[in-house]
Amino acid sequence: MADGKTKRAEHRAARVKLSDVAAASGVHYSTVSRVLRPGAKGRISDDVAERVRSVAKELGYHPNSIAASLRTQSTRSIGLIVHDMNDPVYPPILSGIEDALSPQGFAVLVSNTGYDLNVELDIVNRMAARLVDGIFLATTRLQDPVVERCQELGIPLVSVLRQTEQETSPAVVNDCYGGMRVMTEHVLASGFRDIAVILAPQYLSTARERWHGIKDTLDQAGVALPDHRIVAVPRMSVKEGKRATETLLTAGESRPDVIICVNDLVAIGAIRACREVGLSIPSDVSITGYNDIPLLDMINPALTTVRMQLHEIGKAAGQVMLAQFEGQPVTPMTQRVGCALLVRGSLGQKSESQPT
Amino acid sequence: MADGKTKRAEHRAARVKLSDVAAASGVHYSTVSRVLRPGAKGRISDDVAERVRSVAKELGYHPNSIAASLRTQSTRSIGLIVHDMNDPVYPPILSGIEDALSPQGFAVLVSNTGYDLNVELDIVNRMAARLVDGIFLATTRLQDPVVERCQELGIPLVSVLRQTEQETSPAVVNDCYGGMRVMTEHVLASGFRDIAVILAPQYLSTARERWHGIKDTLDQAGVALPDHRIVAVPRMSVKEGKRATETLLTAGESRPDVIICVNDLVAIGAIRACREVGLSIPSDVSITGYNDIPLLDMINPALTTVRMQLHEIGKAAGQVMLAQFEGQPVTPMTQRVGCALLVRGSLGQKSESQPT
DNA sequence: TTGTATGCGTTATCAT
DNA sequence: ATGATAACGCATACAA
C-alpha cells in the first residue's frame, strides 16, 4: 500500500551520513566533514584524507544539504518569480540564470504569480521561510511593495528585465529606451507619419522606457501623436493586443499607417485583429513588436521587432547575484543589455506620401 | 561594503523563532509549536492558543521550514527535470504542476538537463541531497537509468509526457499513439499516398508511439512507406527538422506529397527547408506537426497539428504525486490524456490523384 | 592534524 | 493541557 512511503523511509534510515563514514574510516565525523568540504579550515594529513574520501565514495555518502543549511543559514537555493512562465520571454532568462548559478551548486525555485500581487507577496514569504539565498524578481514595478518586502526580510534581490523608479535594488535590464528609439527612428525613416502605439502599464519600467523611446523620437522629429492613436493594454498578451488594436482601428476618422506595439505578443494580437477585419499587413497597416520571441520570422508577414538578449540578461543577473553574495558592491545598480532592430515584412514603406 | 550580507545576518539574527514567541507568551516553545501547527496532537486550551497566536502575529513569527525539514525529513519541495525549458511544451506543464502543488505548500525546483544524461543524473543526486519530496521527470526514456536512480534513492517519481517500457513508475502522458493515428487517418482521407515521415529517437515513448500510430494506420490502409521516406532526427528541434527535410526532399526520385513530422518544432524546420528550396506549402508539399505550441496558427500556412493538453497533463501529474505521498496506490500506472486534431492550412488535399 | 562539544530551529515522544 | 527533552545531520570554535 504505502509502498513508496515505506521504501522512502527505509531509504532515509539507510542513508549514509557523516558519522557512518567516520565510523568506517576510524576517525571522528568532524574530520570527515573537513575532508569532504573543500575550504574547511584546518588541514588534514593526506593519508587520512584519502582514506576518508574512498570510504565515503564506497559507502555512497551524499551530504544532507538540509542539515548543512540549518547550520550555515544558507540553502544555496534561489527563487525566480515571474508572472507566467508561459510568456516566452521567461524561459531564456531561466536558462541564463541556471548557466550562471548551477555550476555553483545553486538550485532555482520557480514560481508564477499569475499577475496577482497578493500571490506574489505570498510567494516571497514562502521563499523567505525556505531561506532562499536570494530572489530574482522579473515582475518588478517602478514602485514595488514586493521589492520592499524582500528588503525588509533582508533577502538579496536582483531584478531582471525591469527596475524600480529609484533603482533600489540591483537589476539587469534591456535597454528598452534605446531599443524603442531605434525602432521608432526606423519607422520614421520608412516614411510613416500617421503612427499609433499600443502601450503597457506605466508602472513597469520596460513599458515606460519603451513609451519614452517612442515619444522622444517622435517629438524630436516633430511628428504628432494624437490621443486617439494611443491605447494602453492592461497586460502584454495576444488577447489584449487584439482588443487594443480593434479600438485603434475604429478610433478617429482614418486608420493609422503603422502600429508600434509594446511587445511581440501584443503585436501578434494586432496582426490578428487586422486579419479579422481584412486589413493586409503591411500594405494597409504596418506593425512592429518588441522581444523577438521564437517563431516570429515564420508568421505572415514576419514581424519586425527588437531582439533582446534574454539569455544574457538572465546570466548577467545570476552573476550580479553571486557578486552580491560575496559582498561585492553592486555597480552600476542597473545594468543595461543591448538589443538589435530586426526589420522584417510586417513593416512596410510609406512611399506615396509627400510631406506637406 | 558587504551591506547585503550584513543586513542579511542582522535579519537572520533578528528572526523570531518559536522560543521567542514562547518567551513572550509565557509558555514553553513546544506549546507554541503545537498551537501554531494545525494537526499537532494534543489539544490546547483556547485562551493559551489565542494568546500564543496573537503574540506570534505581533512578533511576525514565520516558521523556519529548513529546521522543520531536518526534523520531518520532508522539504515540501519537488523537482521538475526537463531537457530545456525553452521548448514550449514545458511551461504549460510547469503551470499545471504548480496549480496542483502550490496550494499544498510545495515549491518547484526546475532544472534543465540540456539533453545530457550525465547532467541529468547529477541533477537527481543534487535534488536527492536537497531531500526533495519527489521528482517530475519529463525526460523519461523507455529504458531509463535516471528512473532507476530515483528508485534506488527512494525518491517518489512521476514521469510526465513519457513513460518507461515496463511502466516502472507512475506517469501522465498524452495519447500519442491515438493522436498520431487520427492525424495519419486524416492525411490518408485527404488523398495522400506518397507519405514521408520525420521520426524522433525511438528510446522515447512519445516518439515510438507516434511512429507506431503512423505505421499501423498506413499498414492497415495498405499504404507503403519506403525507407527513403523515413528520416529520424536526433533531437526534436527546428534545426534538426530542417536538416531532415532537406534529406527527405533529395532522397528518391520524386519528392513526397506530405511530410508527417513527429512534433511542431520539427515541422517548423520542415517548413523552413521547403521555403528555402522554393516549395510552396501545401500545394507542393503538405506538412503536419504535433503538440500545438503557441503561434502555430499565425505562421504561413498555419500548421496542422495535434493539440495536447499540456497544462492538464502537468496538473494530473501533480495530483498523482500527491496521491503517492499519501500512500495511495497508483492506478493505472500510466494515465493517458486525450488530444485533438487541428486541421489547418499546412495540410492540403490530393485531389488530382486517382487510386490505381 | 584531529577530537570534543555546542548549536542551528524544529518536531515529537516522553513525562507531569 | 502543558513542559521537558531528545533527536534531525551538519559546521565550527575550541581543546588537545
Side-chain angles (χ1 to χ4, degrees), chain B residues 278-292:
Chain B
L279 291 175
S280 77
I281 304 165
S283 53
D284 292 325
V285 52
S286 285
I287 288 173
T288 71
Y290 201 105
N291 284 357
D292 190 37

Side-chain angles (χ1 to χ4, degrees), chain A residues 286-350:
Chain A
S286 285
I287 288 174
T288 71
Y290 202 106
N291 285 355
D292 191 37
I293 62 175
L295 300 187
L296 248 37
D297 58 327
M298 300 295 291
I299 70 178
N300 184 32
L303 189 65
T304 292
T305 189
V306 173
R307 170 166 295 170
M308 294 170 74
Q309 301 185 273
L310 294 167
H311 185 92
E312 287 68 21
I313 289 176
K315 195 165 179 180
Q319 285 157 349
V320 170
M321 184 70 84
L322 289 174
Q324 215 178 348
F325 289 161
E326 288 170 8
Q328 292 174 24
V330 180
T331 165
M333 206 58 157
T334 305
Q335 189 173 325
R336 286 168 197 281
V337 175
C339 49
L341 178 65
L342 291 181
V343 179
R344 294 191 283 223
S346 73
L347 183 70
Q349 207 122 15
K350 187 77 175 179

